[in-house]
């Protein structure tokens, strides 16, 4: 094994409270295209051109068509060994009485962490602290574009005409995907919860993110400033590599099992 993986595993072994902060790279091995990778384009649009409120008010059907394409693509994907290694560590921590010892903070909207967790739990009840903090929302929830109404939705959205697009049952306006768009603020409660978790962990694993989109990209810095060890897992160096204590260059689906398999945080540490 490479020295950096051994060092990272030692850092994991010594940790009592862990934050796993993830981006599109953790889902790449499940077949979900990354944002800034070559598979991120749909027709000739970049995500930034469609994932914004202006695009939705100009042409909601086009934006919905893109999201429906992504929802279909992601529904066909399954959690990979990286997601599973994290979820299984959470289940082991919970079995030792520490359901919040491994917190997942994700920028991904693909729901794969939540699916991995529910598979690892195999139907057992669980503490809400085990749920991933989904900073940028979820493809599988809809929210009203005007009022606060929201609902889960895994079924397909009809996009054949503007009239067919989903409407809010409360106010009648168009529903939209419950994801954070460019130019929009993150939900303050969600961001606060993520800050609290990052500021109180003693190990922050940063996995598969280019760490360029704020405020999410600052969370590992919050952890580092509070004294946590920062371990980065990525295929290549990123904007965050200079602040990482250990950088492991390799695919998340191989690296995370090497770091986490069989391990549970020691409640006496942290
Ligand atoms: P990016 O597409 O910017 O970055 C993906 C990162 O994953 C890159 O650093 C890759 O090197 C790395 N990577 C790719 N495959 C990997 C693998 N198998 N194992 C490990 N690392 C791998 O995606 P994000 O950083 O998630 O925001 O992008 C952050 C945010 O920007 C997204 O949530 C989205 C986007 O604009 C919103 O939609 C608000």
């Amino acid at each position: 094994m490479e020295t950096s993986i051994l060092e990272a595993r030692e850092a994991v072994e010594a940790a009592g409270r862990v934050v796993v902060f993830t981006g599109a790279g953790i889902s790449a091995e499940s077949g979900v295209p990354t944002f800034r990778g070559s598979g991120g384009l749909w027709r000739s649009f970049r995500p930034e051109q469609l994932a914004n409120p202006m695009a939705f008010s100009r042409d909601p059907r086009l934006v919905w068509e893109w999201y429906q394409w992504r929802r279909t693509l992601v529904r066909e994907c399954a959690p990979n060994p990286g997601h599973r290694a994290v979820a299984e560590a959470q289940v082991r921590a919970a079995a030792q009485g520490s359901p919040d010892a491994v917190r997942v903070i994700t920028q991904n909207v693909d729901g794969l962490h939540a699916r991995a967790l529910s598979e690892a739990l195999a139907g057992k009840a669980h503490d809400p602290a085990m749920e991933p903090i989904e900073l940028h929302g979820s493809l599988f929830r809809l929210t009203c574009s005007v009022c606060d109404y929201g609902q889960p939705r895994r079924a397909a959205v009809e996009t054949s005409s503007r009239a067919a697009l989903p409407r809010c049952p409360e106010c009648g306006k168009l529903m939209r995907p419950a994801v954070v768009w460019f130019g929009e603020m993150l939900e303050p409660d969600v961001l606060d919860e993520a800050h609290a978790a990052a500021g109180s962990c003693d190990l922050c694993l940063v996995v598969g993110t280019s760490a360029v989109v704020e405020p999410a990209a600052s969370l590992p810095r919050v952890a580092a400033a509070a004294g946590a060890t920062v371990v980065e897992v990525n295929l290549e160096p990123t904007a965050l590599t200079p602040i990482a204590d250990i950088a492991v260059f390799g695919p998340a689906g191989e690296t995370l099992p090497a770091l986490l398999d069989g391990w549970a945080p020691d409640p006496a540490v942290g």
Side-chain angles (χ1 to χ4, degrees), residues 21-30 32-37 47-48 51 66-67 70 80 106-109 135-137 179-184 186 206-214 216-217 232-239 248-255:
F21 174 64
T22 66
I26 194 172
S27 297
E29 289 154 81
S30 294
V32 181
T34 59
F35 277 85
R36 291 168 187 80
E48 292 85 343
W66 177 55
Y67 273 100
R70 292 180 63 202
N80 67 53
T106 189
Q107 299 166 87
N108 299 343
V109 293
L135 289 172
H136 294 163
V179 300
V180 178
W181 281 336
F182 291 94
E184 293 184 324
L186 271 62
V206 183
V207 185
T209 176
S210 57
V212 292
V213 175
E214 294 293 351
E232 180 176 49
V233 176
N234 202 303
L235 297 179
E236 58 189 30
T238 70
V248 183
F249 297 115
E254 288 172 24
T255 309

